Amino acid sequence: MRITIITHQQFDLDAAVSAWLLLLKHPEAEVEFANTTSDDNSAIVSRHNPPETYVVDIKGSPLDKSHDEADGQCSSRIVYEELIRPGRDIPEVLSALEDMVALSESQDKTGKLFPPYLVPFSIVGFIKGAQSIGWRDEMLWPWVKRQLDFSYQFLYDHHVARQNYLQMRQAQGEVQGYTVDYIRGGGTAATDVAYNVFNVDIVVYEDPKTFNLGAIRRNECPLHLGEKLKRFVSSRPEPERSRWFSHPAGFIVAHGTQKFPATEPAGVTGRELFEAICAP
C-alpha cells in the first residue's frame, strides 16, 4: 500500500515535525507538498484518508491546528497525541518525542517556551533561509528530516543519561548554598550530566568496581575542596592519608582516578566523604 503524507508548500517547522512524526509510524511513506495559496483547500483536504493518506498542517484537515481557539494546538501536537503516543510506553522515547513537539510548539504561533537544553535545535532560521534563496520543498525536506532525526537522537540520549544518573544518585545535600550530589558509578560522563542537566555544583563519586573515590566541583563553584579533604583525612592513619590527591586549585580531591586507579581501599566510604563535603 502506498502511503502519502501531504503538507503545504513553503513548509514551516510545525508541518515538518508533523510529517516527521508520521514517518515514525510509516517509514515507507512519501511526503508531498501541496499548493495552498487558494482560499479553498477542500480538494486537498478531501484526500485525507488514513492510513493511506494523511493531510497535516493544512486548514480544514483533522490534523491541522486551530489558533482561533483558546486551547488551540499545533498540528504536531495533534499528530503526536492521536497517532504516535498511543501504544508507546518507553519513558525515554516518550520524553524525547514530547520534546520534539515542544520544539514545534515553541516556534509556532502558540508561543510556548521550551527547556534550555532544546535551544540548539532551533532550526526555523535554517528553513526560512533556505526558502529565501529559492530552495524547493523537495530539496529542503531531506536536510530538515536529517536534522530532526539528529535532534530526536540527541534528546533520546539526553533522557537516557538523565535516567541513568538518577539511578546512580545516592544522596543530595548542600554546603554554603552550593548543591552536592553523591553518586556511585558513572565516571566523567556522570559528572557532565550532573553539571549540565541537574545544575549540581559538587559531585562526590564512588566507583563500585575499583577503589576510586573523590569529589569534584564545577568551575563556577569557588569552594576549595582541598580544605575539606584536610579536615576529613586528618584523623586517618598513614598510609591512607598519602593516597589522596588534592589539586592546588581545589576543584578536585581524589583517591584514585580513571587514569591511575587506586589499588588499595580508601578506608572510608563515599557516604562519609559526602557528609564531610556537606559539613559547614
Side-chain angles (χ1 to χ4, degrees):
M1 179 177 64
R2 182 175 184 268
I3 300 176
T4 306
I5 302 167
I6 304 173
T7 191
H8 55 84
Q9 292 179 349
Q10 293 285 292
F11 66 86
D12 54 12
L13 187 61
D14 190 26
V17 173
S18 299
W20 179 86
L21 286 168
L22 284 169
L23 285 171
L24 297 179
K25 186 179 182 72
H26 302 291
E28 74 283 7
E30 297 180 6
V31 180
E32 294 183 4
F33 304 95
N35 185 338
T36 56
T37 56
S38 171
D39 292 334
D40 184 7
N41 297 319
S42 57
I44 301 171
V45 173
S46 66
R47 295 179 62 188
H48 182 75
N49 183 33
E52 295 183 2
T53 308
Y54 298 87
V55 177
V56 297
D57 205 30
I58 293 179
K59 188 175 182 179
S61 167
L63 301 180
D64 178 46
K65 57 183 171 288
S66 175
H67 294 298
D68 296 331
E69 301 176 10
D71 59 347
Q73 293 180 317
C74 283
S75 296
S76 54
R77 171 62 64 182
I78 298 171
V79 170
Y80 172 67
E81 297 290 351
E82 295 185 6
L83 301 174
I84 305 302
R85 182 175 181 176
R88 299 176 188 266
D89 56 5
I90 301 175
E92 294 83 1
V93 169
L94 291 174
S95 294
L97 290 174
E98 284 280 357
D99 285 343
M100 294 297 291
V101 175
L103 281 172
S104 178
E105 288 177 326
S106 66
Q107 298 174 59
D108 198 71
K109 295 178 182 178
T110 53
K112 295 183 179 180
L113 300 178
F114 54 93
Y117 62 84
L118 295 182
V119 171
F121 302 102
S122 176
I123 59 174
V124 171
F126 170 72
I127 293 175
K128 291 183 176 179
Q131 290 170 341
S132 71
I133 60 173
W135 279 36
R136 301 188 313 276
D137 295 310
E138 293 78 7
M139 181 189 305
L140 178 58
W141 169 247
W143 290 91
V144 173
K145 181 184 180 300
R146 191 176 298 121
Q147 178 65 29
L148 293 174
D149 288 339
F150 167 78
S151 300
Y152 170 76
Q153 186 61 55
F154 171 87
L155 294 169
Y156 172 78
D157 291 345
H158 167 92
H159 289 289
V160 169
R162 186 180 189 280
Q163 187 60 35
N164 289 341
Y165 182 86
L166 290 174
Q167 293 174 357
M168 290 184 288
R169 187 163 64 187
Q170 307 297 305
Q172 295 175 275
E174 68 171 49
V175 55
Q176 298 181 32
Y178 295 98
T179 55
V180 186
D181 272 10
Y182 163 39
I183 63 172
R184 283 177 56 84
T188 304
T191 59
D192 289 340
V193 173
Y195 298 154
N196 300 319
V197 177
F198 292 95
N199 203 32
V200 175
D201 296 305
I202 303 170
V203 178
V204 176
Y205 61 87
E206 184 175 16
D207 187 348
K209 298 180 181 179
T210 69
F211 298 118
N212 288 359
L213 176 66
I216 186 169
R217 63 165 172 79
R218 65 194 306 166
N219 292 335
E220 294 81 1
C221 176
L223 297 185
H224 198 294
L225 299 183
E227 298 301 322
K228 293 277 187 179
L229 180 66
K230 285 180 183 179
R231 294 195 295 270
F232 178 57
V233 301
S234 61
S235 61
R236 306 301 302 176
E238 285 291 359
E240 286 184 19
R241 290 200 304 270
S242 60
R243 296 191 190 120
W244 284 86
F245 164 76
S246 176
H247 192 278
F251 72 88
I252 184 172
V253 294
H255 179 270
T257 64
Q258 286 185 325
K259 201 169 190 179
F260 302 104
T263 57
E264 300 287 342
V268 295
T269 66
R271 175 74 64 170
E272 289 174 317
L273 178 59
F274 167 75
E275 291 174 351
I277 295 294
C278 292

